[in-house]
């Protein structure tokens, strides 16, 4: 059954997220498996490709940059969600900020 709508408009085909995930590069899939946030395969791949270009194809450097981006997103959203920043994302073991300076 195609639904209750009787229209002549074309239906929008949405890609299957599982198939999108399966087509990701193995390094990106490994990173997504341990990620703290629920990244969509499409947005993760866009960012991965952009960072690969910036790091001359160094997958390890891309994963480090993704870690920093995710930490920055957690720091931005934590006060609104929990009322305080997460201590693990705020500082590294050496006491320095885990977030890049602007």
């Amino acid at each position: 059954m195609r639904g209750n709508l009787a229209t002549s408009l074309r239906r929008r085909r949405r890609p299957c997220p599982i198939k999108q995930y399966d087509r990701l590069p193995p390094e990106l899939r490994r990173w997504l498996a341990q990620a703290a946030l629920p990244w969509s395969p499409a947005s993760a791949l866009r960012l991965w490709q952009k960072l690969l270009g910036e790091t001359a194809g160094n997958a390890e450097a891309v994963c480090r940059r993704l870690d920093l981006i995710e930490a920055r997103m957690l720091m931005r959203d934590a006060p609104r969600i929990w009322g305080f920043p997460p201590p693990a994302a705020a500082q590294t073991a050496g006491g320095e900020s885990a977030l890049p300076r602007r």
Side-chain angles (χ1 to χ4, degrees):
M1 189 166 157
R2 291 194 171 245
N4 292 336
L5 297 178
T7 180
S8 61
L9 295 175
R10 288 178 169 237
R11 289 184 55 175
R12 197 182 291 178
R13 294 259 182 226
R14 303 224 187 249
C16 176
I18 300 295
K19 288 181 182 179
Q20 284 182 313
Y21 182 84
D22 289 343
R23 285 191 291 259
L24 293 175
E27 298 92 352
L28 179 55
R29 283 197 314 250
R30 274 193 294 277
W31 185 86
L32 285 172
Q34 58 83 35
L37 297 173
W39 293 79
S40 74
S43 65
L45 182 60
R46 271 193 311 271
L47 188 56
W48 177 265
Q49 290 170 338
K50 176 185 172 192
L51 294 174
L52 266 181
E54 292 176 5
T55 61
N58 185 343
E60 188 176 314
V62 172
C63 288
R64 285 193 306 267
R65 295 271 307 271
L66 287 171
D67 287 338
L68 289 174
I69 290 168
E70 188 173 54
R72 192 174 349 149
M73 292 171 75
L74 286 169
M75 288 295 292
R76 181 193 66 204
D77 294 342
R80 181 174 50 85
I81 296 170
W82 295 292
F84 57 88
Q91 293 187 342
T92 62
E96 33 190 72
S97 176
L99 308 176
R101 294 180 189 230
R102 290 188 171 230

